[in-house]
């Protein structure tokens, strides 16, 4: 089922971002190395505002690294990441030259980006409410009352309204992940990064989390980058699928094309291996 | 023979000594708790951290007695022996509590730092609201053990004439030659403080280990 919104750019976009309109995220010849290991190899792609992109590919192909670069948890080795009209991995110096972004610059820029982790990473020393209101209050300066009201709304959205004063340790994995989604949304991010958010969950808890994300996808225009092995979910929610292999894009296309008629042998064998694992 | 009457007579002087001992212990330990925490945090900085680490290593590998005497001899005369004792004991044990805090901080999952960063939390909140509450909770029992160690080390201050319990005892003992009575009472007084402290610590340990 294709996404039912009114966006026009459902067309697969070429590598390098030859999309009509201004892209929101651009990876411009990005290289990421850890020591001798090249994890991202001159990577070029772009994402349009409001677009939902699923990243698939074998383990170790660099998907997590892409999200971590966007979250500024890692630094690029070469190339530049752009978000909006501004450089993101770098900043402008006098004369328009780009230099490595400073910590202060990154702190400002990454406020527009939220991330949900595979291992939830809720703060165990805080209640659910504090987890959700911490950043709005202390980063955005939202008044406490307002942040609280918003936390309640978000918890209702993820179906955990009655857990607001619980501690994370009292929740199941699926519930924790739904709180983590609420926590990320509380910052009203333009971009949401989802890294295998259901991989650490017991199978019976996966559907609840995916339903919440479907709802978020349908009711907001947040741009999403989603790494997942849940192919049904990817097909329902994403506008475009990027298949990664060894730090490069092996194939990209609409979910219908990638899942229904993959052109590349690598994509085909990857998809069949995922299906075998019973996802 | 054990003279009970006489023992009662010397008790007030010994209690004064005990009060000083407890005061030194508490104040020294507070310095160790606060300073150790600061050291553990600053130690993570690249250059200053390495220097600090070397300094702490030095403090841990030289005897407290020598540190006490050394600082006492260097300190200007208007600083009382008691103040010297408190500060030296505090700094000495800060070198140990810093290690305890460090292990607690390193025990906080990497994902906690990353989640804080993903939420753009400033360093002050990341440390104050997320990392330290989790780190300190885990090391409360280990920190508690250093309270008892501090207490047991206060008699070293006899070397610089602080009027703590052992100094009092020595004065009474050498004036009366009734050494057995005096030191028996001193032993009991130490136990009087350390046993309840130990019980309290075990309780704390159970309470925080349970989580
Ligand atoms: N911090 C790191 N240090 C060294 N190697 C790393 C680090 N992070 C990731 N890698 C390596 O980079 C490669 C890509 O990892 P990742 O982006 O996590 O892939 P994926 O999410 O597609 O499984 C892997 O070989 C991984 O071992
Ligand atoms: Mg990964």
């Amino acid at each position: 089922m294709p996404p039912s919104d009114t966006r026009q750019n459902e067309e697969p976009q070429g590598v390098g971002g030859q999309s009509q309109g201004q892209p929101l995220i651009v990876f411009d010849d990005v290289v990421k190395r850890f020591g001798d290991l090249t994890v991202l190899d001159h990577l070029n792609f772009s994402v349009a505002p409001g677009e939902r992109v699923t990243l698939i590919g074998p383990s170790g192909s660099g998907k997590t690294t892409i999200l971590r670069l966007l979250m500024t948890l890692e630094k690029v080795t070469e190339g530049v990441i752009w978000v909006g009209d501004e450089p993101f991995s770098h900043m402008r110096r006098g004369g328009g030259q780009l230099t490595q972004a400073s910590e202060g610059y990154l702190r400002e820029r990454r406020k527009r980006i939220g991330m949900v982790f595979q291992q939830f990473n809720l703060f165990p020393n805080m209640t659910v409410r504090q987890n959700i209101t911490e950043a709005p209050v202390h980063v955005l300066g939202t008044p406490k009352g307002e942040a609280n009201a918003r936390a309640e709304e978000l918890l209702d959205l993820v179906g955990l309204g009655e857990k607001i004063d619980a501690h994370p340790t009292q929740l199941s994995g699926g519930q924790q992940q739904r709180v983590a989604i609420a926590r990320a949304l509380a910052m009203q991010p333009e971009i949401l990064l989802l890294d295998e958010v259901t991989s650490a969950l017991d199978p019976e808890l996966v559907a609840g989390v995916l339903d919440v994300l479907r709802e978020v996808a349908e009711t907001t225009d947040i741009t999403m980058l989603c790494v997942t092995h849940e192919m049904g979910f990817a097909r329902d929610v994403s506008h475009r699928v990027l298949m990664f292999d060894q730090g490069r894009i092996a194939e990209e296309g609409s979910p219908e094309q990638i899942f229904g008629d993959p052109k590349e042998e690598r994509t085909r064998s990857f998809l069949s291996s995922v299906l075998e694992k019973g996802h | 023979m054990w003279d009970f009457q006489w023992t009662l007579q010397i008790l007030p002087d010994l209690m004064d000594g005990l009060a000083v001992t407890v005061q030194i212990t508490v104040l020294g330990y507070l310095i160790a708790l606060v300073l150790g925490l600061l050291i553990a945090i600053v130690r993570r900085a690249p250059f200053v951290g390495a220097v600090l680490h070397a300094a702490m290593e030095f403090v841990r590998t030289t005897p407290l007695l020598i540190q006490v005497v050394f600082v006492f001899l260097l300190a200007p005369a208007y600083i009382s022996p008691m103040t010297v004792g408190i500060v030296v004991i505090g700094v000495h044990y800060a070198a140990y509590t810093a290690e305890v805090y460090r292990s607690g901080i390193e025990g906080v999952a990497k994902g906690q730092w990353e989640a804080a960063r993903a939420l753009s939390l400033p360093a002050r909140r990341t440390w104050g609201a997320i990392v330290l509450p989790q780190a300190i909770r885990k090391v409360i029992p280990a920190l508690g053990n250093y309270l008892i160690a501090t207490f047991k080390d206060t008699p070293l201050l006899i070397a610089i004439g602080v009027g703590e319990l052992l100094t009092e005892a020595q004065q009474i003992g050498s004036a009366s030659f009734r050494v057995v009575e005096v030191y028996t009472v001193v032993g009991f007084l130490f136990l009087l403080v350390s046993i309840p402290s130990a019980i309290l610590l075990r309780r704390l340990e159970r309470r925080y280990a349970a989580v």
Side-chain angles (χ1 to χ4, degrees):
Chain A
M1 179 183 66
S4 55
D5 60 7
T6 53
R7 197 171 295 103
Q8 295 123 36
N9 58 340
E10 309 292 21
E11 293 292 313
Q13 298 170 328
V15 173
Q18 312 113 357
S19 58
Q20 62 280 61
Q22 193 72 6
L24 181 60
I25 303 169
V26 176
F27 272 58
D28 180 10
D29 226 23
V30 170
V31 174
K32 176 63 187 175
R33 291 191 198 97
F34 292 108
D36 290 341
L37 179 70
T38 301
V39 174
L40 300 179
D41 189 8
H42 296 279
L43 186 62
N44 292 283
F45 72 94
S46 62
V47 176
E51 195 182 14
R52 294 187 292 272
V53 178
T54 294
L55 316 182
I56 61 170
S59 173
S61 58
K63 308 178 298 292
T64 294
T65 302
I66 290 168
L67 301 194
R68 289 174 62 84
L69 284 170
L70 274 168
M71 199 63 258
T72 75
L73 297 172
E74 305 284 357
K75 288 190 165 77
V76 297
T77 310
E78 288 171 29
V80 181
I81 300 173
W82 298 74
V83 173
D85 299 333
E86 293 293 320
F88 185 76
S89 55
H90 293 65
M91 57 189 189
R92 287 182 208 278
R93 237 196 340 216
Q97 254 182 332
L98 295 183
T99 61
Q100 213 30 266
S102 69
E103 198 41 47
Y105 182 81
L106 290 177
R107 190 174 324 123
E108 258 333 287
R109 308 288 299 162
R110 69 170 168 251
K111 282 182 196 168
R112 332 164 58 173
I113 304 182
M115 182 159 182
V116 181
F117 300 86
Q118 189 173 343
Q119 297 297 339
F120 334 135
N121 295 346
L122 292 180
F123 306 128
N125 58 316
M126 296 182 181
T127 63
V128 166
R129 180 199 305 274
Q130 290 167 326
N131 264 278
I132 299 174
T133 58
E134 171 68 26
V137 170
H138 294 281
V139 178
L140 303 180
T142 311
K144 271 226 166 87
E146 201 178 302
N148 254 317
R150 177 97 179 108
E152 281 162 25
E153 272 171 40
L154 284 167
L155 280 174
D156 284 338
L157 171 78
V158 303
L160 291 172
E162 80 284 9
K163 298 289 188 190
I164 190 157
D165 290 313
H167 276 270
T169 46
Q170 298 166 318
L171 305 180
S172 73
Q175 291 172 329
Q176 288 188 50
Q177 195 59 297
R178 277 141 70 193
V179 172
I181 293 167
R183 177 174 75 172
L185 292 175
M187 286 294 279
Q188 300 182 298
E190 260 176 278
I191 300 167
L192 187 61
L193 309 172
L194 304 162
D195 191 11
E196 299 199 36
V197 296
T198 57
S199 297
L201 299 179
D202 292 336
E204 72 272 18
L205 302 176
V206 169
V209 171
L210 294 183
D211 285 346
V212 165
L213 290 175
R214 278 197 183 87
E215 172 98 17
V216 173
E218 275 165 25
T219 57
T220 69
D221 54 6
I222 299 176
T223 305
M224 291 191 198
L225 262 67
C226 176
V227 177
T228 184
H229 297 304
E230 299 293 335
M231 298 308 165
F233 170 74
R235 191 188 278 259
D236 290 352
V237 166
S238 49
H239 301 111
R240 189 155 56 111
V241 177
L242 304 182
M243 162 74 197
F244 283 85
D245 191 32
Q246 298 181 355
R248 292 166 167 274
I249 296 174
E251 182 171 2
E252 67 168 309
S254 67
E256 293 74 24
Q257 184 254 306
I258 296 284
F259 296 130
D261 181 25
K263 302 269 181 292
E264 293 284 326
E265 174 51 37
R266 282 178 291 182
T267 313
R268 245 173 272 147
S269 67
F270 169 73
L271 288 174
S272 63
S273 76
V274 171
L275 284 176
E276 269 165 33
K277 282 184 210 142
H279 282 285
Chain B
M1 264 284 76
W2 181 274
D3 183 343
F4 199 70
Q5 269 317 110
W6 187 79
T7 320
L8 278 183
Q9 268 175 25
I10 60 166
L11 206 51
D13 279 346
L14 290 179
M15 291 300 278
D16 284 349
L18 181 64
V20 174
T21 294
V22 168
Q23 204 183 334
I24 294 167
T25 305
V26 169
L27 293 176
Y29 185 63
L30 284 179
I31 292 176
L33 283 185
V34 174
L35 187 62
L37 181 57
L38 293 177
I39 292 169
I41 294 170
V42 177
R43 251 205 65 182
R44 296 170 66 91
F47 178 70
V48 191
V51 173
L52 213 50
H53 177 64
M56 291 303 107
E57 208 46 51
F58 176 74
V59 169
R60 273 196 302 269
T61 49
T62 51
L64 176 56
L65 178 60
I66 293 177
Q67 293 168 10
V68 167
V69 172
F70 189 72
V71 174
F72 177 69
L73 293 176
L74 285 185
Y78 61 84
I79 296 180
S80 72
M82 170 121 168
T83 307
V84 170
I86 290 170
V87 170
V88 173
I89 284 182
V91 172
H92 184 83
Y93 276 100
Y96 289 93
T97 57
E99 281 300 295
V100 172
Y101 285 120
R102 186 181 62 86
S103 74
I105 291 167
E106 281 174 4
V108 174
K110 196 160 137 270
Q112 295 289 304
W113 293 95
E114 294 186 344
R117 195 171 162 87
L119 291 168
S120 295
L121 291 178
R124 191 172 37 82
R125 290 302 295 177
T126 304
W127 278 102
I130 293 157
V131 174
L132 290 182
Q134 293 180 49
I136 291 174
R137 198 183 169 85
K138 269 184 276 186
V139 299
I140 282 175
L143 288 174
N145 287 334
Y146 283 112
L147 174 60
I148 294 184
T150 309
F151 179 64
K152 289 197 301 183
D153 269 353
T154 51
L156 288 177
L157 298 189
I158 196 172
I160 58 171
V162 176
E164 45 69 64
L165 183 51
L166 196 66
T167 312
E168 291 287 338
Q170 202 199 23
Q171 280 164 9
I172 297 170
S174 58
S176 65
F177 301 105
R178 293 174 138 161
V179 188
V180 177
E181 275 108 324
V182 177
Y183 286 97
T184 308
V185 176
V186 167
F188 273 113
L189 289 179
F190 265 97
L191 285 179
L192 192 70
V193 176
S194 59
I195 289 179
S197 316
I199 292 174
L200 201 75
L201 284 178
R202 291 295 89 79
R203 277 213 197 138
L204 272 179
E205 205 164 301
R206 263 202 304 278
R207 168 147 177 233
Y208 287 100
V211 179

